[in-house]
Amino acid sequence: MRKLIQVLVSFAFILCSVNSAKILGVFHMPAYSHYQLGDRLLKELAARGHEVTVITPYAEKNPVKNFKQIVLTGAIEKLQPMKDKLFEQTESTVIKSLVWLEVMGLELVDSTLSHPNVQEFLKSNNQFDLVILHQFVNDAFKGFCHYYNAPCVVLSPMAVPCWTHAQIANPDSPAYFPDMYSDPAFDTSFTQRFLNSLLYVGIRLFNHLYAIPRQNEVMHKYFPNAPHLNELYYNTSLILVNSHISINSAVPYLPNVIDIGGYHVKTPKKLPIDLQEYLDGAKDGVVLFSLGSNLQSKNLPKEKRESILKAFSKLKQKVLWKWEDETLPNQPPNVKLSKWLPQSDVIAHPNIKLLITHGGLLSTTEAVYHGVPIIGIPIFADQEKNIALAEKSGYAILVPYKQLTEEGLSHALSEVINNPKYRANVKWRSEIMHDEPIKQLDKAVFWTEYVIKHKGAHHLRSAALSLSWYQYLLLDVIAVVILIIFVPLFVIIKGFKKYCCQKKSIKQVSTKKKKN
Ligand SMILES: *[C@@H]1O[C@H](CO)[C@@H](O)[C@H](O)[C@H]1NC(C)=O
């Protein structure tokens, strides 16, 4: 009987401690693809009984159980002019785009924290057991974790760049670890390792000397009692990474870095009737052209648009284009326009031949998930790296934006449509993506609850976090080894020389004496 009560009590304890945690999610980016990542995980946590609050620009139309929103009204409209100019990013350099991202990130952090709805929320008396932060040039949000004295989980929208790794001291040697800004053709040759090392040191210094101090300043503006950001930055419990071994390189992960790439893909829903009929009736197949949710293809320069249309008009396949306007000048008869598409569900249709994409990680993941080859036209951020990797793995062709011409695109289209290697390779990658012991979403939920259950799971912290950089690189040890080897050697050589010289001088003295 006592045993039974014990079991019941501990069962109830488990239910209470994990089943009804209070979780705050901060997914402030006015970019739907970024929000989608948080939304998928947070709604699942809510469905499993947790009380979830999320700070977001995307208001829910209908109420969701256990799911409360603090809506950043006006944020989407405010960022739109910047998004309309995204194609200009193809002209950027690494340094320019680092600064561009950081400046944009800081502005978004500041406008989020100063938003009246967030201010009101901070003043009302809330408590949280966990904070889940979107990880994207927003380290000032670590202030939320301190404010609520709750463990911090971050969700990285991309295969982890070194600015994210640093907070948990994950091994990321530039000898073999590509960064978001690495040369897309990165390999382990001397030149590439040399350049990648320079880049790595550059980004780490940039983060340390430029980004963190600025983020710290913004954090203190809204969380005046927080310690220096350095203390909070290195106190992250867990990194959930929107990446998967089927699409990214094999690199080391500490136990508190968890790959969950593919988790955002939902079981395909029924398509709207017109779309379903259109796809079913395409006996030669359909090419899907979509530049994601941030880039709008209606902002493509006219000359690029014309080249694309000419290449499309030569196809016997149908083309479904996510186009954000009512009309498209010179629209060929085989091209169908749609302002919005349930992208993943469309890709899942068996008649889809290939996806033409900007190479965002969500689109790339969806293509691999459903086994559809890719033509990538990368524009900014990690897109070029994603497509270059896919091309290396033999299921994509990269068409650089600057070389986006009718001939270039036609060539890529005929190659991917007619050469069976692309489909075979992506099918294999797809199999790898699905070859997991548990579903990626369940994995994400498990580790999130794990952090709550173990009060921050600090046993997962790497000892490397307590080292300074020269200790981590063993420079002090190497220095001592050099001393141990070279000091005696030096003493011996010096002694030997002295001995020889003395002998010589004695000889000289004695010969001098003789002469006298
Ligand atoms: C680090 O996080 C833990 C919870 O995971 C918290 O108890 C601790 O106070 C945090 N440290 C700092 C300096 O905020």
PDB file of all heavy atoms in Angstrom, residues 19 23 39-53 64-68 445:
ATOM      1  N   ASN A  19       4.277  18.450 -16.598  1.00  0.00           N
ATOM      2  CA  ASN A  19       3.094  18.570 -17.439  1.00  0.00           C
ATOM      3  C   ASN A  19       2.443  19.938 -17.448  1.00  0.00           C
ATOM      4  O   ASN A  19       1.645  20.229 -18.307  1.00  0.00           O
ATOM      5  CB  ASN A  19       2.060  17.506 -17.064  1.00  0.00           C
ATOM      6  CG  ASN A  19       2.280  16.274 -17.917  1.00  0.00           C
ATOM      7  OD1 ASN A  19       3.329  16.139 -18.546  1.00  0.00           O
ATOM      8  ND2 ASN A  19       1.311  15.379 -17.947  1.00  0.00           N
ATOM      9  N   ILE A  23       5.833  28.399 -19.783  1.00  0.00           N
ATOM     10  CA  ILE A  23       6.910  28.614 -20.749  1.00  0.00           C
ATOM     11  C   ILE A  23       6.707  29.920 -21.490  1.00  0.00           C
ATOM     12  O   ILE A  23       5.618  30.207 -21.983  1.00  0.00           O
ATOM     13  CB  ILE A  23       6.958  27.439 -21.751  1.00  0.00           C
ATOM     14  CG1 ILE A  23       7.221  26.133 -20.999  1.00  0.00           C
ATOM     15  CG2 ILE A  23       8.026  27.677 -22.812  1.00  0.00           C
ATOM     16  CD1 ILE A  23       7.117  24.887 -21.859  1.00  0.00           C
ATOM     17  N   ASP A  39       6.631  28.658 -33.499  1.00  0.00           N
ATOM     18  CA  ASP A  39       5.209  28.334 -33.441  1.00  0.00           C
ATOM     19  C   ASP A  39       4.991  26.818 -33.358  1.00  0.00           C
ATOM     20  O   ASP A  39       4.191  26.330 -32.556  1.00  0.00           O
ATOM     21  CB  ASP A  39       4.545  28.906 -34.694  1.00  0.00           C
ATOM     22  CG  ASP A  39       3.045  28.760 -34.665  1.00  0.00           C
ATOM     23  OD1 ASP A  39       2.432  29.381 -33.779  1.00  0.00           O
ATOM     24  OD2 ASP A  39       2.498  28.025 -35.515  1.00  0.00           O
ATOM     25  N   ARG A  40       5.734  26.087 -34.181  1.00  0.00           N
ATOM     26  CA  ARG A  40       5.556  24.623 -34.234  1.00  0.00           C
ATOM     27  C   ARG A  40       5.859  23.995 -32.876  1.00  0.00           C
ATOM     28  O   ARG A  40       5.102  23.173 -32.373  1.00  0.00           O
ATOM     29  CB  ARG A  40       6.493  24.059 -35.308  1.00  0.00           C
ATOM     30  CG  ARG A  40       6.337  22.581 -35.556  1.00  0.00           C
ATOM     31  CD  ARG A  40       5.129  22.310 -36.426  1.00  0.00           C
ATOM     32  NE  ARG A  40       5.041  20.909 -36.777  1.00  0.00           N
ATOM     33  CZ  ARG A  40       4.052  20.106 -36.402  1.00  0.00           C
ATOM     34  NH1 ARG A  40       3.068  20.578 -35.677  1.00  0.00           N
ATOM     35  NH2 ARG A  40       4.036  18.845 -36.780  1.00  0.00           N
ATOM     36  N   LEU A  41       6.977  24.389 -32.285  1.00  0.00           N
ATOM     37  CA  LEU A  41       7.379  23.803 -31.008  1.00  0.00           C
ATOM     38  C   LEU A  41       6.466  24.282 -29.876  1.00  0.00           C
ATOM     39  O   LEU A  41       5.984  23.480 -29.064  1.00  0.00           O
ATOM     40  CB  LEU A  41       8.836  24.174 -30.703  1.00  0.00           C
ATOM     41  CG  LEU A  41       9.363  23.737 -29.337  1.00  0.00           C
ATOM     42  CD1 LEU A  41       9.301  22.223 -29.178  1.00  0.00           C
ATOM     43  CD2 LEU A  41      10.797  24.219 -29.121  1.00  0.00           C
ATOM     44  N   LEU A  42       6.178  25.591 -29.837  1.00  0.00           N
ATOM     45  CA  LEU A  42       5.412  26.136 -28.717  1.00  0.00           C
ATOM     46  C   LEU A  42       3.977  25.608 -28.716  1.00  0.00           C
ATOM     47  O   LEU A  42       3.415  25.310 -27.658  1.00  0.00           O
ATOM     48  CB  LEU A  42       5.427  27.668 -28.765  1.00  0.00           C
ATOM     49  CG  LEU A  42       6.812  28.289 -28.520  1.00  0.00           C
ATOM     50  CD1 LEU A  42       6.797  29.784 -28.803  1.00  0.00           C
ATOM     51  CD2 LEU A  42       7.286  28.038 -27.093  1.00  0.00           C
ATOM     52  N   LYS A  43       3.375  25.471 -29.899  1.00  0.00           N
ATOM     53  CA  LYS A  43       2.001  24.952 -29.952  1.00  0.00           C
ATOM     54  C   LYS A  43       1.976  23.492 -29.506  1.00  0.00           C
ATOM     55  O   LYS A  43       1.022  23.050 -28.862  1.00  0.00           O
ATOM     56  CB  LYS A  43       1.438  25.077 -31.365  1.00  0.00           C
ATOM     57  CG  LYS A  43       1.082  26.508 -31.727  1.00  0.00           C
ATOM     58  CD  LYS A  43      -0.275  26.610 -32.428  1.00  0.00           C
ATOM     59  CE  LYS A  43      -0.610  28.050 -32.749  1.00  0.00           C
ATOM     60  NZ  LYS A  43      -0.236  28.418 -34.112  1.00  0.00           N
ATOM     61  N   GLU A  44       3.026  22.745 -29.864  1.00  0.00           N
ATOM     62  CA  GLU A  44       3.091  21.347 -29.436  1.00  0.00           C
ATOM     63  C   GLU A  44       3.207  21.280 -27.908  1.00  0.00           C
ATOM     64  O   GLU A  44       2.552  20.465 -27.260  1.00  0.00           O
ATOM     65  CB  GLU A  44       4.279  20.658 -30.106  1.00  0.00           C
ATOM     66  CG  GLU A  44       4.406  19.164 -29.826  1.00  0.00           C
ATOM     67  CD  GLU A  44       3.246  18.330 -30.374  1.00  0.00           C
ATOM     68  OE1 GLU A  44       2.582  18.783 -31.333  1.00  0.00           O
ATOM     69  OE2 GLU A  44       3.006  17.234 -29.816  1.00  0.00           O
ATOM     70  N   LEU A  45       4.009  22.168 -27.332  1.00  0.00           N
ATOM     71  CA  LEU A  45       4.147  22.198 -25.874  1.00  0.00           C
ATOM     72  C   LEU A  45       2.809  22.564 -25.226  1.00  0.00           C
ATOM     73  O   LEU A  45       2.429  21.998 -24.195  1.00  0.00           O
ATOM     74  CB  LEU A  45       5.236  23.191 -25.461  1.00  0.00           C
ATOM     75  CG  LEU A  45       6.676  22.755 -25.788  1.00  0.00           C
ATOM     76  CD1 LEU A  45       7.640  23.943 -25.693  1.00  0.00           C
ATOM     77  CD2 LEU A  45       7.142  21.634 -24.865  1.00  0.00           C
ATOM     78  N   ALA A  46       2.090  23.493 -25.846  1.00  0.00           N
ATOM     79  CA  ALA A  46       0.775  23.879 -25.324  1.00  0.00           C
ATOM     80  C   ALA A  46      -0.187  22.699 -25.409  1.00  0.00           C
ATOM     81  O   ALA A  46      -0.946  22.423 -24.465  1.00  0.00           O
ATOM     82  CB  ALA A  46       0.231  25.072 -26.104  1.00  0.00           C
ATOM     83  N   ALA A  47      -0.127  21.976 -26.537  1.00  0.00           N
ATOM     84  CA  ALA A  47      -1.030  20.835 -26.723  1.00  0.00           C
ATOM     85  C   ALA A  47      -0.761  19.765 -25.672  1.00  0.00           C
ATOM     86  O   ALA A  47      -1.634  18.980 -25.326  1.00  0.00           O
ATOM     87  CB  ALA A  47      -0.859  20.264 -28.116  1.00  0.00           C
ATOM     88  N   ARG A  48       0.464  19.711 -25.177  1.00  0.00           N
ATOM     89  CA  ARG A  48       0.786  18.706 -24.157  1.00  0.00           C
ATOM     90  C   ARG A  48       0.574  19.219 -22.738  1.00  0.00           C
ATOM     91  O   ARG A  48       1.091  18.655 -21.780  1.00  0.00           O
ATOM     92  CB  ARG A  48       2.231  18.248 -24.336  1.00  0.00           C
ATOM     93  CG  ARG A  48       2.421  17.586 -25.685  1.00  0.00           C
ATOM     94  CD  ARG A  48       3.738  16.898 -25.775  1.00  0.00           C
ATOM     95  NE  ARG A  48       3.991  16.489 -27.157  1.00  0.00           N
ATOM     96  CZ  ARG A  48       4.891  15.584 -27.504  1.00  0.00           C
ATOM     97  NH1 ARG A  48       5.595  14.985 -26.569  1.00  0.00           N
ATOM     98  NH2 ARG A  48       5.065  15.278 -28.764  1.00  0.00           N
ATOM     99  N   GLY A  49      -0.114  20.346 -22.623  1.00  0.00           N
ATOM    100  CA  GLY A  49      -0.541  20.783 -21.297  1.00  0.00           C
ATOM    101  C   GLY A  49       0.281  21.882 -20.665  1.00  0.00           C
ATOM    102  O   GLY A  49      -0.014  22.304 -19.548  1.00  0.00           O
ATOM    103  N   HIS A  50       1.318  22.363 -21.329  1.00  0.00           N
ATOM    104  CA  HIS A  50       2.084  23.467 -20.753  1.00  0.00           C
ATOM    105  C   HIS A  50       1.358  24.781 -21.015  1.00  0.00           C
ATOM    106  O   HIS A  50       0.624  24.911 -21.989  1.00  0.00           O
ATOM    107  CB  HIS A  50       3.478  23.531 -21.360  1.00  0.00           C
ATOM    108  CG  HIS A  50       4.285  22.305 -21.101  1.00  0.00           C
ATOM    109  ND1 HIS A  50       4.718  21.954 -19.840  1.00  0.00           N
ATOM    110  CD2 HIS A  50       4.717  21.321 -21.929  1.00  0.00           C
ATOM    111  CE1 HIS A  50       5.387  20.816 -19.916  1.00  0.00           C
ATOM    112  NE2 HIS A  50       5.393  20.399 -21.167  1.00  0.00           N
ATOM    113  N   GLU A  51       1.602  25.723 -20.111  1.00  0.00           N
ATOM    114  CA  GLU A  51       1.004  27.051 -20.295  1.00  0.00           C
ATOM    115  C   GLU A  51       2.000  27.915 -21.038  1.00  0.00           C
ATOM    116  O   GLU A  51       3.021  28.325 -20.482  1.00  0.00           O
ATOM    117  CB  GLU A  51       0.742  27.678 -18.938  1.00  0.00           C
ATOM    118  CG  GLU A  51      -0.679  27.567 -18.465  1.00  0.00           C
ATOM    119  CD  GLU A  51      -0.806  28.210 -17.110  1.00  0.00           C
ATOM    120  OE1 GLU A  51      -0.709  29.446 -17.034  1.00  0.00           O
ATOM    121  OE2 GLU A  51      -0.981  27.454 -16.136  1.00  0.00           O
ATOM    122  N   VAL A  52       1.725  28.187 -22.304  1.00  0.00           N
ATOM    123  CA  VAL A  52       2.694  28.869 -23.152  1.00  0.00           C
ATOM    124  C   VAL A  52       2.285  30.320 -23.411  1.00  0.00           C
ATOM    125  O   VAL A  52       1.120  30.605 -23.674  1.00  0.00           O
ATOM    126  CB  VAL A  52       2.839  28.123 -24.502  1.00  0.00           C
ATOM    127  CG1 VAL A  52       3.744  28.893 -25.449  1.00  0.00           C
ATOM    128  CG2 VAL A  52       3.367  26.710 -24.275  1.00  0.00           C
ATOM    129  N   THR A  53       3.275  31.214 -23.291  1.00  0.00           N
ATOM    130  CA  THR A  53       3.072  32.610 -23.684  1.00  0.00           C
ATOM    131  C   THR A  53       4.122  32.915 -24.729  1.00  0.00           C
ATOM    132  O   THR A  53       5.281  32.541 -24.555  1.00  0.00           O
ATOM    133  CB  THR A  53       3.289  33.555 -22.476  1.00  0.00           C
ATOM    134  OG1 THR A  53       2.418  33.133 -21.433  1.00  0.00           O
ATOM    135  CG2 THR A  53       2.981  34.999 -22.835  1.00  0.00           C
ATOM    136  N   VAL A  64      -6.058  29.584 -29.213  1.00  0.00           N
ATOM    137  CA  VAL A  64      -5.512  28.232 -29.100  1.00  0.00           C
ATOM    138  C   VAL A  64      -5.389  27.916 -27.617  1.00  0.00           C
ATOM    139  O   VAL A  64      -4.987  28.765 -26.824  1.00  0.00           O
ATOM    140  CB  VAL A  64      -4.112  28.150 -29.757  1.00  0.00           C
ATOM    141  CG1 VAL A  64      -3.520  26.764 -29.642  1.00  0.00           C
ATOM    142  CG2 VAL A  64      -4.177  28.602 -31.205  1.00  0.00           C
ATOM    143  N   LYS A  65      -5.749  26.701 -27.250  1.00  0.00           N
ATOM    144  CA  LYS A  65      -5.745  26.314 -25.824  1.00  0.00           C
ATOM    145  C   LYS A  65      -4.325  26.377 -25.236  1.00  0.00           C
ATOM    146  O   LYS A  65      -3.369  25.942 -25.887  1.00  0.00           O
ATOM    147  CB  LYS A  65      -6.299  24.885 -25.699  1.00  0.00           C
ATOM    148  CG  LYS A  65      -6.738  24.568 -24.291  1.00  0.00           C
ATOM    149  CD  LYS A  65      -7.332  23.171 -24.198  1.00  0.00           C
ATOM    150  CE  LYS A  65      -7.336  22.753 -22.741  1.00  0.00           C
ATOM    151  NZ  LYS A  65      -7.071  21.352 -22.547  1.00  0.00           N
ATOM    152  N   ASN A  66      -4.204  26.905 -24.035  1.00  0.00           N
ATOM    153  CA  ASN A  66      -2.919  27.018 -23.321  1.00  0.00           C
ATOM    154  C   ASN A  66      -1.904  27.906 -24.029  1.00  0.00           C
ATOM    155  O   ASN A  66      -0.704  27.805 -23.789  1.00  0.00           O
ATOM    156  CB  ASN A  66      -2.242  25.640 -23.151  1.00  0.00           C
ATOM    157  CG  ASN A  66      -3.020  24.724 -22.264  1.00  0.00           C
ATOM    158  OD1 ASN A  66      -3.870  25.182 -21.493  1.00  0.00           O
ATOM    159  ND2 ASN A  66      -2.752  23.441 -22.353  1.00  0.00           N
ATOM    160  N   PHE A  67      -2.348  28.747 -24.933  1.00  0.00           N
ATOM    161  CA  PHE A  67      -1.427  29.479 -25.799  1.00  0.00           C
ATOM    162  C   PHE A  67      -1.809  30.948 -25.820  1.00  0.00           C
ATOM    163  O   PHE A  67      -2.814  31.334 -26.404  1.00  0.00           O
ATOM    164  CB  PHE A  67      -1.517  28.876 -27.205  1.00  0.00           C
ATOM    165  CG  PHE A  67      -0.444  29.316 -28.151  1.00  0.00           C
ATOM    166  CD1 PHE A  67       0.819  28.761 -28.096  1.00  0.00           C
ATOM    167  CD2 PHE A  67      -0.695  30.270 -29.137  1.00  0.00           C
ATOM    168  CE1 PHE A  67       1.817  29.138 -28.991  1.00  0.00           C
ATOM    169  CE2 PHE A  67       0.293  30.654 -30.042  1.00  0.00           C
ATOM    170  CZ  PHE A  67       1.546  30.087 -29.964  1.00  0.00           C
ATOM    171  N   LYS A  68      -0.977  31.757 -25.122  1.00  0.00           N
ATOM    172  CA  LYS A  68      -1.290  33.182 -25.030  1.00  0.00           C
ATOM    173  C   LYS A  68      -0.273  33.966 -25.842  1.00  0.00           C
ATOM    174  O   LYS A  68       0.898  33.609 -25.872  1.00  0.00           O
ATOM    175  CB  LYS A  68      -1.211  33.571 -23.550  1.00  0.00           C
ATOM    176  CG  LYS A  68      -1.798  34.903 -23.211  1.00  0.00           C
ATOM    177  CD  LYS A  68      -1.713  35.139 -21.707  1.00  0.00           C
ATOM    178  CE  LYS A  68      -1.203  36.535 -21.449  1.00  0.00           C
ATOM    179  NZ  LYS A  68      -0.730  36.730 -20.082  1.00  0.00           N
ATOM    180  N   VAL A 445      10.511  18.348 -27.957  1.00  0.00           N
ATOM    181  CA  VAL A 445       9.694  18.453 -26.742  1.00  0.00           C
ATOM    182  C   VAL A 445      10.409  17.751 -25.579  1.00  0.00           C
ATOM    183  O   VAL A 445      10.507  18.287 -24.479  1.00  0.00           O
ATOM    184  CB  VAL A 445       8.301  17.834 -26.962  1.00  0.00           C
ATOM    185  CG1 VAL A 445       7.564  17.697 -25.649  1.00  0.00           C
ATOM    186  CG2 VAL A 445       7.502  18.685 -27.936  1.00  0.00           C
TER     187      VAL A 445
END
